[in-house]
């Protein structure tokens, strides 16, 4: 870019902002909007660099300027989690990990950023959401978009040993997407995911059924309420597009459009197919007839009886594999959670077999009563409604999101990706055409969105009285405080595995000590007294809380507590926890 001064940059930013606004209002092609948005960002960064350089010069010249106020807020699409929220998230992650290990999983940890060429070309239209990093010593880097591609890179670099090592791997960690965030619904730019993947060559659909069983077990364990696992097969979808007349070079882009049916009505998706992606309207209408179909084994039987689909090699293979899968899911006892849904597409490019996502009632926007309808093939008459008000824009020029119109979305998703590892080994060999000869490793996995699950469970956590600390016993003493005695007892309790605490004061008031224990809802208050200690006794008061009118209230206990022998205290507490 030609070097410009601040005045010229400001004018260029103004013009580029106007261009971006006009492109959005004209519903221009997304690629043009993305390009304009990127250029606007480049111009703003250049202006920021000039401003920063000016400040440095001002400092060097001894000029005094009023200090700018520091904006104490997190970056867009991120947030801090306080102690109570972190405790809830830790509970969620612990429950998920417990299920992962019960299914034979072992852990893996990959870097939070990758070489950009590792991530490029794997995410279809969503590639624009990747966070690029500035050049780092000659390396073009980017923050990871998910755990799947880094896992495939790891497996490719570890072949052939990876093929004979553990076939069940799980990962917990943060990923990054430059999306439009809705914090209250757990839709973030920085968010945590828990992934479980099965690698290797196994009998058809056996690991796939295992993954779906694991997903159902996780969702039951963390108690998200009623849930549905939407299921489809990429080969059925590809065959469906082919028999409807979609050209092979448009299948992935049309699949990305279909993937939006959980958020947009059919007429909007159809318009994208025909007007933006150049699909013949009659072909779009044929697709519309198929993607409205959903069910279970009944839908499978209907597809098996469909001569058109069964005459296509892709869809025939996919339908056959789904038949095997449903038998296995029945053996696992999880078919009641499954919805075979032909509108499910999953826009990521690397999927090759079954695809799935888990939804709950809160997944849909609040005004929605279910999945967006797929209307009949007849054209939709234009509605005579008033034009919607122009949306407000944020500091990046993006339209502000109305949080009341957005749902949580899917809380877990995944699928089979048999060629991704091979894609890396082929590229590493320096010949992308040698894909069939390069070693590979079939994989199937699932990713669970911790932040979206947290958005669902946080209100329940509060209602159930979830605590921010796990302290079981709080040791206190009136009068002279008995600091050394409190420290000795706390140390003994901790050695015995009983989480304990005390107030860091030499002679604290007994009321202050009770207040500290009550703040953390500690169930046992252990009170030391000089005369009691001489007799080998301590006093223990049990404390509990209940929810009253939406608030946690301590249940009053007028008793003086129980006298417990000092050397029997640990056993006494363990018998009550």
């Amino acid at each position: 870019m030609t070097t410009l001064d601040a005045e010229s940059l400001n004018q260029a930013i103004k013009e580029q902002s106007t261009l971006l606004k006009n492109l959005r209002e004209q519903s221009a092609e997304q690629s043009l909007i993305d390009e304009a948005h990127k250029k606007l960002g480049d111009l703003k960064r250049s202006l920021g660099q000039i401003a920063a350089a000016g400040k440095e010069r001002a400092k060097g010249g001894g000029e005094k300027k009023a200090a700018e106020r520091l904006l104490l807020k997190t970056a867009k699409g991120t947030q801090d989690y306080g102690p109570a929220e972190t405790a809830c998230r830790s509970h969620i992650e612990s429950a998920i990990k417990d299920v992962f290990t019960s299914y034979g999983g072992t852990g893996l940890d990959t870097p939070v950023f990758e070489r950009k060429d590792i991530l490029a070309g794997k995410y279809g239209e969503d590639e624009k959401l990747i966070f690029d990093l500035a050049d780092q010593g000659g390396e073009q880097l980017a923050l990871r978009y998910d755990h799947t591609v880094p896992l495939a890179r790891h497996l490719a670099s570890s072949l052939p040993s990876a093929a004979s090592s553990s076939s069940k791997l799980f990962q917990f960690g943060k990923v990054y997407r430059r999306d439009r965030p809705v914090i209250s619904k757990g839709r973030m730019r920085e968010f945590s995911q828990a992934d479980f993947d099965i690698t290797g060559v196994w009998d058809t659909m056996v690991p796939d059924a295992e993954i779906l069983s694991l997903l159902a077990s996780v969702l039951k364990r963390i108690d998200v309420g009623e849930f549905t696992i939407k299921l489809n097969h990429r080969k059925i979808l590809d065959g469906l597009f082919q028999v409807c007349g979609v050209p092979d070079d448009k299948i992935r882009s049309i699949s990305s459009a279909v993937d939006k049916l959980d958020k947009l009505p059919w007429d909007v998706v159809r318009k994208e197919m025909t007007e933006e992606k150049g699909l013949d309207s009659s072909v779009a209408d044929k697709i519309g007839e198929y993607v409205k179909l959903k069910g279970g084994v009944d839908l499978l039987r209907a597809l098996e009886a469909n001569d058109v689909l069964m005459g296509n090699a892709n869809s025939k293979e996919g339908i056959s594999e789904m038949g095997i899968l449903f038998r296995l899911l029945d053996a696992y006892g999880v078919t009641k959670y499954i919805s075979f849904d032909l509108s499910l597409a999953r826009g990521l490019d690397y999927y090759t077999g079954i695809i799935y996502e888990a939804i709950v009632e809160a997944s849909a926007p609040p005004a929605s009563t279910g999945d967006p309808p797929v209307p009949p093939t007849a054209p939709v008459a234009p509605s005579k409604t008033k034009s919607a008000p122009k949306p407000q824009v944020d500091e990046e020029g993006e339209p502000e999101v109305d949080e009341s119109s957005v749902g949580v979305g899917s809380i877990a998703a995944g699928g089979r990706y048999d060629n991704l590892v091979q894609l890396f080994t082929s590229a590493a060999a320096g010949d992308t055409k040698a894909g069939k000869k390069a070693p590979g490793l079939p994989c199937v996995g699932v990713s669970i969105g911790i932040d979206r699950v947290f958005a669902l469970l946080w209100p329940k956590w509060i209602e159930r009285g979830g605590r921010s600390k796990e302290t079981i016993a709080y040791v206190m003493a009136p009068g002279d405080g008995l600091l050394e005695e409190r420290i000795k007892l706390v140390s003994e309790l901790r050695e015995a595995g009983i989480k304990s605490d005390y107030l860091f004061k030499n002679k604290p008031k007994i009321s202050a000590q009770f207040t500290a224990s009550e703040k953390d809802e500690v169930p046992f208050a252990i009170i030391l007294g000089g005369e009691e200690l001489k007799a080998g006794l301590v006093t223990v008061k049990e404390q509990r809380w209940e929810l009253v009118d939406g608030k946690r209230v301590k249940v009053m206990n007028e008793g003086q507590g129980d006298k417990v022998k000092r050397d029997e205290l640990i056993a006494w507490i363990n018998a009550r926890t």
Side-chain angles (χ1 to χ4, degrees):
M1 180 186 293
T2 303
T3 303
L4 301 175
D5 58 26
E7 183 177 353
S8 300
L9 277 170
N10 274 312
Q11 180 60 33
I13 288 171
K14 183 177 179 181
E15 293 173 356
Q16 190 66 21
S17 297
T18 301
L19 172 62
L20 180 59
K21 179 182 177 183
N22 290 339
L23 288 172
R24 286 199 175 105
E25 289 178 348
Q26 296 164 9
S27 299
E29 289 187 14
Q30 189 61 44
S31 60
L32 296 177
I33 294 175
D34 292 340
E35 182 181 351
H37 189 273
K38 183 178 185 301
K39 185 175 180 180
L40 178 60
D42 292 340
L43 289 168
K44 288 182 177 180
R45 279 190 289 274
S46 297
L47 182 61
Q49 291 169 358
I50 290 177
K55 290 180 183 178
E56 289 300 318
R57 287 194 297 272
K59 288 179 183 178
E63 297 179 19
K64 293 185 178 180
K65 294 182 67 177
E68 293 185 6
R69 292 185 177 182
L70 182 64
L71 189 59
L72 297 177
K73 59 176 288 188
T74 60
K76 181 178 179 180
T78 67
Q79 74 172 99
D80 295 326
Y81 293 100
E85 295 163 314
T86 300
C88 177
R89 290 169 64 85
S90 296
H91 171 76
I92 294 168
E93 291 181 11
S94 177
I96 294 173
K97 186 175 181 180
D98 191 53
V99 176
F100 283 1
T101 55
S102 74
Y103 273 72
T106 187
L108 176 72
D109 188 21
T110 59
V112 74
F113 55 87
E114 295 274 352
R115 291 172 55 91
K116 189 175 179 182
D117 54 358
I118 293 291
L119 304 181
K122 314 300 188 304
Y123 301 108
E125 293 185 358
D126 283 350
E127 187 161 326
K128 62 181 181 291
L129 303 180
I130 293 175
F131 268 105
D132 293 337
L133 299 179
D135 186 294
Q136 302 293 321
E139 284 190 314
Q140 294 294 323
L141 305 176
L143 295 175
R144 64 186 178 197
Y145 179 95
D146 60 12
H147 291 306
T148 305
V149 170
L151 169 64
R153 187 262 310 148
H154 166 79
L155 293 172
S157 66
S158 304
L159 287 174
S161 62
S164 58
S165 59
S166 177
S167 64
K168 294 181 177 181
L169 297 168
F170 64 77
Q171 302 178 75
F172 286 80
K174 292 186 175 181
V175 297
Y176 300 84
R177 297 178 191 177
R178 197 186 174 284
D179 211 343
R180 295 169 63 190
V182 184
I183 300 292
S184 65
K185 305 299 172 65
R187 302 167 76 99
M188 317 281 285
R189 286 185 164 183
E190 177 193 65
F191 53 98
S192 297
Q193 287 187 332
D195 280 37
F196 190 101
D197 294 82
I198 300 177
T199 68
V201 179
W202 305 102
D203 286 351
T204 301
M205 305 311 287
V206 177
D208 308 65
E210 174 89 341
I211 286 285
L212 289 168
S213 171
L214 174 139
L215 176 55
S217 296
V218 166
L219 299 181
K220 288 186 287 184
R221 177 68 176 273
I222 60 179
D223 193 21
V224 296
E226 292 188 10
F227 63 88
T228 299
I229 301 174
K230 296 168 66 174
L231 175 66
N232 200 0
H233 199 299
R234 201 62 178 257
K235 291 177 182 176
I236 296 177
L237 204 57
D238 288 351
L240 180 158
F241 291 148
Q242 289 169 342
V243 300
C244 287
V246 178
D248 287 345
D249 62 349
K250 290 184 181 294
I251 284 180
R252 282 294 167 259
S253 64
I254 297 303
S255 180
S256 295
V258 171
D259 191 43
K260 300 173 184 175
L261 278 171
D262 63 334
K263 308 178 188 73
L264 301 172
W266 168 251
D267 59 322
V268 175
V269 172
R270 184 182 184 278
K271 182 178 179 181
E272 178 180 335
M273 289 180 180
T274 56
E275 297 185 13
E276 295 181 25
K277 298 182 175 177
L279 189 67
D280 185 90
S281 59
S282 63
V283 174
D285 291 337
K286 290 178 183 177
I287 293 172
E289 285 298 304
Y290 278 111
V291 297
K292 68 183 178 184
L293 301 176
K294 63 184 65 177
V297 177
D298 56 333
L299 176 56
L300 176 65
R301 298 290 174 255
L303 297 183
E304 289 173 338
N306 187 312
D307 293 336
V308 175
L309 286 178
M310 293 301 287
N312 177 275
N314 273 327
S315 54
K316 181 179 181 179
E317 184 177 359
I319 291 168
S320 174
E321 290 183 354
M322 287 291 279
I324 298 171
L325 179 63
F326 268 104
R327 290 199 301 275
L328 298 176
L329 293 177
D330 189 53
Y332 274 110
V334 297
T335 50
K336 60 185 176 183
Y337 304 114
I338 302 297
S339 172
F340 186 5
D341 189 335
L342 291 186
S343 71
L344 179 64
R346 303 291 299 150
L348 303 183
D349 281 356
Y350 50 68
Y351 288 125
T352 58
I354 67 163
I355 49 178
Y356 35 83
E357 65 180 30
I359 59 172
V360 293
E361 183 180 359
S363 294
S368 175
T369 57
D371 291 332
V374 179
T377 58
V380 178
S383 58
K384 298 180 179 180
T385 56
K386 295 181 179 179
S387 59
K390 293 183 179 180
Q392 298 295 317
V393 297
D394 59 22
E395 64 271 17
E396 296 182 354
E398 293 279 4
E400 290 282 8
V401 178
D402 177 7
E403 297 195 9
S404 66
S405 66
V406 178
V408 170
S410 62
I411 58 175
R416 172 163 287 279
Y417 52 104
D418 284 347
N419 301 330
L420 190 54
V421 174
Q422 190 178 60
L423 181 66
F424 281 128
T425 57
S426 176
D431 184 3
T432 57
K433 295 181 180 179
K436 292 183 179 180
K437 298 179 182 178
L441 198 64
C443 304
V444 61
V446 66
S447 179
I448 300 165
I450 302 294
D451 294 88
R452 296 189 180 187
V453 170
F454 170 76
L456 294 172
L457 297 187
W458 174 241
K460 296 180 182 180
W461 176 266
I462 295 297
E463 184 177 332
R464 288 194 296 240
R467 300 168 58 207
S468 60
K469 291 186 179 180
E470 298 180 15
T471 308
I472 295 297
Y474 204 95
V475 180
M476 56 184 73
D480 64 6
L482 300 173
L483 179 59
E484 290 82 0
E485 293 297 333
R486 283 187 286 143
I487 291 174
K488 288 179 183 178
L489 182 52
V490 164
S491 298
E492 288 179 27
L493 293 171
R494 289 170 177 169
E495 284 291 327
I498 297 173
K499 299 177 175 68
S500 308
D501 209 348
Y502 71 103
L503 196 62
F504 293 176
K505 292 280 189 178
N506 196 23
K507 295 182 179 181
K509 293 182 179 179
I510 192 68
S511 60
Q513 296 175 81
F514 267 109
T515 298
S517 72
E518 291 169 0
K519 178 182 177 183
D520 297 330
E521 297 189 12
V522 180
F524 297 103
I526 303 173
I527 307 165
L528 307 184
E531 294 302 318
E532 289 176 325
L533 286 176
K534 290 178 182 178
L537 299 172
V538 297
T539 300
V540 184
K541 287 195 72 172
E542 292 192 60
Q543 307 181 114
R544 62 187 182 89
W545 284 257
E546 63 184 10
L547 194 69
V548 178
D549 297 329
K551 294 183 179 180
R552 300 287 296 172
V553 177
K554 183 180 180 181
V555 178
M556 297 306 296
N557 182 357
E558 301 296 339
Q560 298 301 309
D562 297 308
K563 300 293 183 182
V564 180
K565 290 182 179 180
R566 172 76 164 71
D567 57 3
E568 296 177 359
L569 178 61
I570 291 173
W572 189 93
I573 293 175
N574 283 334
R576 289 160 175 78
T577 55

